[in-house]
Amino acid sequence: FIDKLPIELQRQLEVLKQKNAVSIKNNEIIHVLNADLRNCTQYIKDGDTATDAQTKATNYGQAEALMLKDTQIKPDASVLWLKLGLAQVGLMKYRVAESSLTKALEVENAAKRPNQETQRLVSSTLEQIRSMSDPSGTHEEPSARNQPVQQSAPPVPAPRHYADFAPPPLPPA
């Protein structure tokens, strides 16, 4: 039947088959990412409720490993960066968590339809991390921190001692 179609229709059919193959592949990737997100969410919950440090580290480590892999697969998904940051906060890796959460906020702000709940969760977690690194409460706003300081000598960044602080409590799910 297809061989009897006009050449132009055969070409259109071939293009349609190629687009369909790409869509099927993308759907398979999304299916894997969704499964990983479900597992990551459970690992984080288990880490939050665990009473011993080894179990916490194991659960947060598994969540971090999944999200590190998934953010490489789909770097434009803010929820993956958010979950990665939350896992890193659980592991008390505050510097890398701040970087991951900042990336989540950047991706979310660049989205056509930003998710306000994700933005709030990322912002509040970032604020907790930053307040822990500067207990005096005089930390600079992110926009001020990225501006060059007008001095004759190069600016010296304020030291952050993340390891001296306990992880922030996670917001309710």
Side-chain angles (χ1 to χ4, degrees), residues 131-146:
S131 69
M132 288 175 11
S133 68
D134 185 12
S136 67
T138 60
H139 68 279
E140 300 172 345
E141 291 299 316
S143 60
R145 209 179 315 140
N146 293 330

Side-chain angles (χ1 to χ4, degrees), residues 41-106:
T41 299
Q42 189 60 51
Y43 289 141
I44 291 173
K45 282 182 184 179
D46 292 346
D48 290 345
T49 59
T51 56
D52 66 294
Q54 180 61 37
T55 304
K56 283 182 180 285
T58 299
N59 284 307
Y60 290 129
Q62 290 173 324
E64 181 187 36
L66 277 175
M67 293 301 101
L68 282 171
K69 173 184 67 95
D70 290 350
T71 54
Q72 296 302 309
I73 294 170
K74 188 147 178 66
D76 62 340
S78 62
V79 69
L80 300 176
W81 290 103
L82 168 62
K83 294 293 184 175
L84 175 59
L86 293 175
Q88 291 165 334
V89 166
L91 290 168
M92 294 192 257
K93 296 180 177 180
Y94 298 115
R95 288 184 184 166
V96 292
E98 186 175 10
S99 175
S100 297
L101 292 166
T102 301
K103 177 69 175 176
L105 200 54
E106 290 170 2

Side-chain angles (χ1 to χ4, degrees), residues 121-134:
L121 181 56
V122 169
S123 295
S124 68
T125 307
L126 278 170
E127 188 61 33
Q128 288 173 351
I129 291 171
R130 290 175 181 151
S131 69
M132 288 175 11
S133 68
D134 185 12

